[in-house]
Amino acid sequence: MALLSVRDLTHTYPNGFQALKGVSFDVEAGEFLVVIGLSGSGKSTLLRCINRLIEPTSGTITFDSADVTHITSNALRAHRAQIGMIFQHFNLIPRHNVLNNVMYGALGYTPTFASLVGKFSDELHARALDALRVVGIAEKSSVRADTLSGGQQQRVAIARALMQHPRMLLADEPVASLDPSTSHSVMSYLDRINKDMNTTVICNLHFLSLVRQYATRVVALKAGELVFNGSPHEITEEWFATIYGEDAVEVEIR
Amino acid sequence: MKKLLSIVIDIVLGAAVAALLERVIAPSLADVQPWMFSWPSIAFIGSASVCWMLLGLVFGASLGRLYIGLEVKEGTARTIATHLGLFALSTFIIGGWIVTDISPIEFLSGEGLQGAGRIFGALLTPEFDVIGEALSAMVVTIFTAFMATVVAVPLSFVLSFPAARNMLGTGLLAKTIYIVLRAILNIMRSMEPIIWAIIFSVWVGIGPFAGMLALVIHTIASLTKQYSEQIEDVNEGPIEAISATGANRLQVLWFAVVPQCVIPFLSFTIYRWDINVRMATIIGFVGGGGIGTLLTQYQGLARYHEVGTLVILITAVVWLLDVVSSRIREALR
Ligand SMILES: Nc1ncnc2c1ncn2[C@@H]1O[C@H](COP(=O)(O)OP(=O)(O)OP(=O)(O)O)[C@@H](O)[C@H]1O
Ligand SMILES: [Mg+2]
């Protein structure tokens, strides 16, 4: 049984816009799945349905054999806690230091009152430092998060996600605001987490060169529909034209 | 020649409008007697017609010019609209003049000027014997404002979340809470603190406690509004990120929303304390205690030398707080 199974997923925003129109695919444990598609094709919407930041309009999402499509309250938080997420704009808490930012990854497992008064256990401190070591930025642990460079912030965000001991990592255009070499560094951390820790990764990307280098499988969305599901080297020129439109030209990032 | 005619028309029209205002509209707006054929009346009608004419010349558009078909820079409709606008404006100015009893004669009369001389003389030769009493009253005022702020802040903080559009979700209950809360806060804010002070001075008796309660009400209403607007402005990103870790609602508020708001909240709060000191002074006039109450007492006794001391003290404190609070707020940024 696949770790994640998405069936006939649709999502309609409150303004009536249908961002996903019956998307189905499976993700096996250990895969590095990349989602591609034009801007506005529904990639972010898809990721947010998976960890249920938004609720699907119809269809089903099954994670680890449990139907999570419409779960609420405790079940919902437990589901989210198993899945780490990183974002294009890092979304760290400004003014708070790096170590605290990383520890917030464990909020889903921390009693409310203890967390609100800032009582994080020694074990959490140690784990947060470990997570920072994984992304090679432990020396910045006491620095304010908003003083770091973009690449550093994204590594802190990855450490925050690792704090969840995630079964799966969702990455929504994690390198879209970074320069090419920083992009590769961030992608290689995701790659290492995928290979070494056997964490399943689903990642939205725009650059096909990155897709070819890191993806074990690719799905493509076009106007809310799944139009491609296969291995990265199957994306021929024809597929490229189908996914991105006839006039698109491939841009390289090295 | 035609131009002259247009000017004459404007002058006549201006005089007619002014006469209409003075004789008919103003008396019907307020319980005042028209001046009739007195000097002020003649001066008023005369100056109105001159103004009307000048306006016509300056704007290049007037009813007179329109009538004689002289070039009108703007369209006909706009000319008429301009003149109607000017008409409405002059109605309000003249109506306001009469209603507020504006009287240049009293302002500049010998007796009036003598009175002014007396009070300025007294104010400028303050009686410093009262400085001890004044200082302790000032301390009361400052602490009235301070305590009102301290009491209001936690309440405003808690209320500001349900009063922010983006915090409660989209359910019917949430919307109802939001609308009801906003309405109550708006009403609370619309009632001036001085009115609350009158209410509370009857409720708990004249004194700083009444003043404090009045300020608490007003501060809660104002701070909650400012806080909640700040909350409506927060960046969604951190909220998503913290929610994605499996955090509950309270944790999301505390770790994603509050960190983005603390600095502006602090800034609003300090500014509010500054405002509250000024308001506490005014509130003292109607029984809110502190320096304001002391001031009304000496004013009632016509002891203007003592009033002078109090005025100097109030001015100094308000100025000092203004400087200090804006320094702090700048440093926070
Ligand atoms: N809150 C919303 N309300 C209404 N429509 C929305 C909302 N969020 C997104 N959409 C629309 O849904 C569609 C899909 O958006 P989504 O963010 O999933 O696209 P995306 O593939 O991630 O694009 P990008 O590459 O630009 O991030 C877009 O057309 C967008 O305009
Ligand atoms: Mg997106």
Side-chain angles (χ1 to χ4, degrees), chain A residues 89 91, chain B residues 230-240 256-257 260:
Chain A
H89 298 294
N91 293 350
Chain B
Q230 187 64 37
I231 292 173
E232 286 176 355
D233 255 12
V234 297
N235 179 356
E236 276 290 315
I239 298 178
E240 270 197 315
V257 180
Q260 298 188 55

Side-chain angles (χ1 to χ4, degrees), chain B residues 8-152:
Chain B
V8 170
I9 292 177
D10 280 344
I11 289 178
V12 171
L13 272 175
V17 166
L20 190 72
L21 283 172
E22 190 220 320
R23 297 289 147 80
V24 184
I25 295 176
S28 65
L29 276 178
D31 185 22
V32 288
Q33 288 298 315
W35 293 315
M36 297 316 283
F37 295 100
S38 58
W39 276 113
S41 173
I42 291 162
F44 169 62
I45 290 172
S47 54
S49 54
V50 171
C51 285
W52 198 264
M53 179 201 78
L54 286 177
L55 282 170
L57 288 178
V58 170
F59 290 107
S62 75
L63 293 180
R65 285 171 166 242
L66 194 66
Y67 178 74
I68 60 159
L70 211 66
E71 37 70 55
V72 171
K73 281 183 198 156
E74 304 145 76
T76 311
R78 280 194 64 182
T79 310
I80 295 170
T82 307
H83 266 240
L84 286 180
L86 292 172
F87 178 77
L89 183 65
S90 44
T91 310
F92 284 125
I93 292 174
I94 292 157
W97 178 291
I98 295 169
V99 169
T100 49
D101 271 341
I102 293 179
S103 162
I105 294 175
E106 262 172 53
F107 190 71
L108 294 174
S109 73
E111 207 184 330
L113 287 179
Q114 246 180 14
R118 262 206 319 280
I119 186 150
F120 276 118
L123 291 177
L124 292 175
T125 53
E127 172 55 74
F128 281 110
D129 276 0
V130 290
I131 195 74
E133 195 184 6
L135 277 175
S136 71
M138 195 71 225
V139 169
V140 170
T141 294
I142 291 173
F143 276 98
T144 304
F146 178 71
M147 288 312 292
T149 316
V150 167
V151 171

Side-chain angles (χ1 to χ4, degrees), chain B:
Chain B
M1 211 51 224
K2 269 190 154 186
K3 213 165 189 165
L4 204 67
L5 179 65
S6 86
I7 289 175
V8 170
I9 292 177
D10 280 344
I11 289 178
V12 171
L13 272 175
V17 166
L20 190 72
L21 283 172
E22 190 220 320
R23 297 289 147 80
V24 184
I25 295 176
S28 65
L29 276 178
D31 185 22
V32 288
Q33 288 298 315
W35 293 315
M36 297 316 283
F37 295 100
S38 58
W39 276 113
S41 173
I42 291 162
F44 169 62
I45 290 172
S47 54
S49 54
V50 171
C51 285
W52 198 264
M53 179 201 78
L54 286 177
L55 282 170
L57 288 178
V58 170
F59 290 107
S62 75
L63 293 180
R65 285 171 166 242
L66 194 66
Y67 178 74
I68 60 159
L70 211 66
E71 37 70 55
V72 171
K73 281 183 198 156
E74 304 145 76
T76 311
R78 280 194 64 182
T79 310
I80 295 170
T82 307
H83 266 240
L84 286 180
L86 292 172
F87 178 77
L89 183 65
S90 44
T91 310
F92 284 125
I93 292 174
I94 292 157
W97 178 291
I98 295 169
V99 169
T100 49
D101 271 341
I102 293 179
S103 162
I105 294 175
E106 262 172 53
F107 190 71
L108 294 174
S109 73
E111 207 184 330
L113 287 179
Q114 246 180 14
R118 262 206 319 280
I119 186 150
F120 276 118
L123 291 177
L124 292 175
T125 53
E127 172 55 74
F128 281 110
D129 276 0
V130 290
I131 195 74
E133 195 184 6
L135 277 175
S136 71
M138 195 71 225
V139 169
V140 170
T141 294
I142 291 173
F143 276 98
T144 304
F146 178 71
M147 288 312 292
T149 316
V150 167
V151 171
V153 163
L155 290 166
S156 309
F157 183 79
V158 171
L159 286 175
S160 63
F161 291 94
R165 208 187 309 259
N166 55 343
M167 283 296 117
L168 281 182
T170 46
L172 188 67
L173 179 71
K175 277 213 174 107
T176 316
I177 293 177
Y178 169 82
I179 290 169
V180 170
L181 197 57
R182 278 281 166 130
I184 293 174
L185 290 169
N186 281 337
I187 293 168
M188 273 164 69
R189 213 180 36 255
S190 311
M191 271 174 78
E192 285 293 323
I194 199 156
I195 295 169
W196 289 110
I198 292 170
I199 293 170
F200 283 116
S201 66
V202 175
W203 189 338
V204 301
I206 285 180
F209 185 46
M212 192 203 92
L213 289 173
L215 286 178
V216 165
I217 300 275
H218 194 75
T219 307
I220 289 176
S222 307
L223 277 185
T224 306
K225 184 180 154 72
Q226 282 181 302
Y227 286 180
S228 61
E229 277 168 359
Q230 187 64 37
I231 292 173
E232 286 176 355
D233 255 12
V234 297
N235 179 356
E236 276 290 315
I239 298 178
E240 270 197 315
I242 296 295
S243 303
T245 66
N248 62 34
R249 222 168 241 250
L250 209 55
Q251 289 172 321
V252 173
L253 283 189
W254 190 250
F255 291 103
V257 180
V258 173
Q260 298 188 55
C261 297
V262 268
I263 298 297
F265 278 19
L266 264 179
S267 175
F268 294 146
T269 307
I270 290 167
Y271 187 46
R272 195 40 64 178
W273 178 46
D274 178 7
I275 292 173
N276 277 349
V277 171
R278 289 176 228 195
M279 283 193 172
T281 309
I282 306 293
I283 276 175
F285 297 166
V286 295
I291 192 106
T293 302
L294 196 63
L295 186 71
T296 39
Q297 283 166 8
Y298 281 113
Q299 191 224 339
L301 298 171
R303 288 169 63 177
Y304 291 111
H305 298 281
E306 283 81 355
V307 171
T309 311
L310 299 184
V311 169
I312 289 170
L313 185 61
I314 291 169
T315 312
V317 167
V318 166
W319 173 78
L320 195 72
L321 272 179
D322 191 54
V323 171
V324 171
S325 100
S326 65
R327 281 278 162 79
I328 296 177
R329 282 179 286 128
E330 244 159 58
L332 281 175
R333 228 177 282 140

Side-chain angles (χ1 to χ4, degrees), chain A residues 43-45 48 88 172-173 204:
Chain A
K43 304 181 298 295
S44 301
T45 309
R48 281 163 179 71
Q88 176 179 352
D172 191 3
E173 296 180 26
N204 292 348

